[in-house]
Short mmCIF file of all heavy atoms in Angstrom, two decimals:
data_model
loop_
_atom_site.label_atom_id
_atom_site.label_comp_id
_atom_site.label_asym_id
_atom_site.label_seq_id
_atom_site.Cartn_x
_atom_site.Cartn_y
_atom_site.Cartn_z
N VAL A 174 46.50 16.39 -4.19
CA VAL A 174 46.87 15.55 -5.34
C VAL A 174 46.10 14.23 -5.30
O VAL A 174 45.60 13.76 -6.33
CB VAL A 174 48.41 15.33 -5.38
CG1 VAL A 174 48.79 14.28 -6.41
CG2 VAL A 174 49.12 16.65 -5.67
N ASP A 175 45.95 13.66 -4.10
CA ASP A 175 45.17 12.41 -3.95
C ASP A 175 43.71 12.65 -4.35
O ASP A 175 43.08 11.81 -5.00
CB ASP A 175 45.20 11.90 -2.50
CG ASP A 175 46.57 11.32 -2.15
OD1 ASP A 175 47.37 11.07 -3.08
OD2 ASP A 175 46.83 11.13 -0.95
N PHE A 176 43.19 13.79 -3.92
CA PHE A 176 41.80 14.16 -4.23
C PHE A 176 41.61 14.24 -5.75
O PHE A 176 40.65 13.68 -6.31
CB PHE A 176 41.51 15.51 -3.54
CG PHE A 176 40.24 16.20 -3.93
CD1 PHE A 176 39.00 15.65 -3.63
CD2 PHE A 176 40.27 17.45 -4.55
CE1 PHE A 176 37.82 16.33 -3.95
CE2 PHE A 176 39.10 18.13 -4.87
CZ PHE A 176 37.87 17.55 -4.59
N VAL A 177 42.55 14.87 -6.43
CA VAL A 177 42.45 15.00 -7.89
C VAL A 177 42.60 13.63 -8.55
O VAL A 177 41.82 13.26 -9.44
CB VAL A 177 43.53 15.99 -8.44
CG1 VAL A 177 43.53 16.01 -9.96
CG2 VAL A 177 43.29 17.39 -7.89
N ASP A 178 43.58 12.86 -8.08
CA ASP A 178 43.80 11.52 -8.66
C ASP A 178 42.56 10.63 -8.51
O ASP A 178 42.28 9.81 -9.37
CB ASP A 178 44.98 10.82 -7.96
CG ASP A 178 46.31 11.35 -8.48
OD1 ASP A 178 46.30 12.07 -9.50
OD2 ASP A 178 47.34 11.06 -7.83
N GLY A 179 41.88 10.81 -7.39
CA GLY A 179 40.74 9.93 -7.09
C GLY A 179 39.47 10.32 -7.82
O GLY A 179 38.46 9.62 -7.75
N MET A 180 39.50 11.46 -8.50
CA MET A 180 38.27 11.91 -9.17
C MET A 180 38.09 11.22 -10.52
O MET A 180 39.07 10.97 -11.21
CB MET A 180 38.32 13.43 -9.39
CG MET A 180 38.01 14.16 -8.11
SD MET A 180 38.22 15.90 -8.26
CE MET A 180 37.27 16.24 -9.66
N PRO A 181 36.85 10.92 -10.87
CA PRO A 181 36.63 10.27 -12.17
C PRO A 181 36.77 11.30 -13.31
O PRO A 181 36.71 12.50 -13.07
CB PRO A 181 35.18 9.79 -12.07
CG PRO A 181 34.54 10.72 -11.09
CD PRO A 181 35.60 11.17 -10.14
N GLY A 182 36.95 10.80 -14.51
CA GLY A 182 36.93 11.68 -15.69
C GLY A 182 38.26 12.36 -15.96
O GLY A 182 39.29 11.99 -15.41
N ARG A 183 38.17 13.38 -16.81
CA ARG A 183 39.39 14.07 -17.23
C ARG A 183 40.01 14.82 -16.06
O ARG A 183 39.32 15.31 -15.18
CB ARG A 183 39.10 15.02 -18.39
CG ARG A 183 38.21 16.19 -18.02
CD ARG A 183 37.86 17.00 -19.23
NE ARG A 183 38.94 17.85 -19.69
CZ ARG A 183 39.28 19.00 -19.10
NH1 ARG A 183 38.66 19.40 -18.02
NH2 ARG A 183 40.26 19.73 -19.59
N LYS A 184 41.34 14.88 -16.08
CA LYS A 184 42.04 15.52 -14.98
C LYS A 184 42.93 16.63 -15.52
O LYS A 184 43.51 16.50 -16.59
CB LYS A 184 42.90 14.51 -14.24
CG LYS A 184 42.08 13.47 -13.50
CD LYS A 184 42.97 12.51 -12.77
CE LYS A 184 42.23 11.42 -12.04
NZ LYS A 184 41.16 10.76 -12.72
N PRO A 185 43.06 17.70 -14.76
CA PRO A 185 43.93 18.78 -15.20
C PRO A 185 45.39 18.45 -14.90
O PRO A 185 45.67 17.51 -14.14
CB PRO A 185 43.49 19.93 -14.29
CG PRO A 185 43.04 19.27 -13.02
CD PRO A 185 42.43 17.96 -13.45
N GLN A 186 46.27 19.22 -15.49
CA GLN A 186 47.66 19.14 -15.09
C GLN A 186 47.79 19.92 -13.77
O GLN A 186 47.34 21.07 -13.69
CB GLN A 186 48.54 19.78 -16.16
CG GLN A 186 49.99 19.80 -15.74
CD GLN A 186 50.93 20.05 -16.90
OE1 GLN A 186 50.52 20.02 -18.08
NE2 GLN A 186 52.18 20.30 -16.60
N VAL A 187 48.35 19.28 -12.76
CA VAL A 187 48.54 19.97 -11.48
C VAL A 187 49.92 20.61 -11.50
O VAL A 187 50.92 19.95 -11.78
CB VAL A 187 48.41 19.00 -10.29
CG1 VAL A 187 48.61 19.74 -8.97
CG2 VAL A 187 47.04 18.32 -10.29
N MET A 188 49.95 21.91 -11.24
CA MET A 188 51.23 22.62 -11.20
C MET A 188 51.27 23.43 -9.90
O MET A 188 50.43 24.30 -9.69
CB MET A 188 51.36 23.55 -12.41
CG MET A 188 52.66 24.31 -12.42
SD MET A 188 52.72 25.58 -13.71
CE MET A 188 53.17 24.61 -15.10
N ALA A 189 52.23 23.12 -9.05
CA ALA A 189 52.36 23.88 -7.80
C ALA A 189 53.60 24.76 -7.88
O ALA A 189 54.53 24.48 -8.63
CB ALA A 189 52.46 22.92 -6.62
N PHE A 190 53.57 25.84 -7.12
CA PHE A 190 54.75 26.71 -7.02
C PHE A 190 54.84 27.22 -5.58
O PHE A 190 53.83 27.25 -4.87
CB PHE A 190 54.66 27.89 -8.01
CG PHE A 190 53.55 28.84 -7.70
CD1 PHE A 190 53.78 29.98 -6.93
CD2 PHE A 190 52.26 28.59 -8.14
CE1 PHE A 190 52.74 30.86 -6.62
CE2 PHE A 190 51.22 29.46 -7.82
CZ PHE A 190 51.46 30.59 -7.07
N VAL A 191 56.02 27.62 -5.19
CA VAL A 191 56.18 28.09 -3.82
C VAL A 191 55.85 29.59 -3.77
O VAL A 191 56.31 30.37 -4.59
CB VAL A 191 57.60 27.79 -3.28
CG1 VAL A 191 57.68 28.15 -1.81
CG2 VAL A 191 57.94 26.32 -3.49
N SER A 192 55.00 29.93 -2.81
CA SER A 192 54.42 31.27 -2.71
C SER A 192 54.92 31.94 -1.43
O SER A 192 55.13 31.26 -0.42
CB SER A 192 52.90 31.08 -2.67
OG SER A 192 52.20 32.28 -2.49
N MET A 193 55.08 33.25 -1.47
CA MET A 193 55.44 34.05 -0.28
C MET A 193 56.79 33.64 0.31
O MET A 193 56.92 33.48 1.54
CB MET A 193 54.37 33.93 0.80
CG MET A 193 52.99 34.34 0.34
SD MET A 193 51.91 34.44 1.78
CE MET A 193 50.34 34.76 1.05
N VAL A 194 57.80 33.46 -0.55
CA VAL A 194 59.11 33.03 -0.06
C VAL A 194 59.91 34.22 0.47
O VAL A 194 60.10 35.20 -0.25
CB VAL A 194 59.94 32.39 -1.20
CG1 VAL A 194 61.25 31.84 -0.66
CG2 VAL A 194 59.15 31.33 -1.91
N ASP A 195 60.34 34.11 1.71
CA ASP A 195 61.23 35.11 2.29
C ASP A 195 62.63 34.52 2.31
O ASP A 195 62.97 33.70 3.18
CB ASP A 195 60.75 35.43 3.72
CG ASP A 195 61.61 36.49 4.37
OD1 ASP A 195 62.67 36.86 3.80
OD2 ASP A 195 61.22 36.96 5.46
N ARG A 196 63.46 34.92 1.36
CA ARG A 196 64.76 34.27 1.20
C ARG A 196 65.75 34.64 2.31
O ARG A 196 66.84 34.08 2.38
CB ARG A 196 65.35 34.55 -0.20
CG ARG A 196 64.52 33.88 -1.32
CD ARG A 196 65.28 33.72 -2.62
NE ARG A 196 66.35 32.72 -2.56
CZ ARG A 196 66.18 31.43 -2.87
NH1 ARG A 196 65.02 30.97 -3.27
NH2 ARG A 196 67.21 30.61 -2.78
N ARG A 197 65.34 35.55 3.19
CA ARG A 197 66.21 35.82 4.35
C ARG A 197 66.11 34.66 5.35
O ARG A 197 66.96 34.49 6.21
CB ARG A 197 65.79 37.12 5.04
CG ARG A 197 66.15 38.36 4.21
CD ARG A 197 65.49 39.58 4.81
NE ARG A 197 64.04 39.36 4.95
CZ ARG A 197 63.16 40.28 5.31
NH1 ARG A 197 63.56 41.49 5.62
NH2 ARG A 197 61.87 40.01 5.40
#
Side-chain angles (χ1 to χ4, degrees):
V174 170
D175 287 346
F176 169 66
V177 173
D178 282 348
M180 282 174 52
R183 67 186 284 283
K184 292 181 182 45
Q186 176 163 350
V187 180
M188 180 188 278
F190 66 94
V191 187
S192 176
M193 303 191 185
V194 185
D195 181 352
R196 293 199 70 91
R197 289 169 306 187

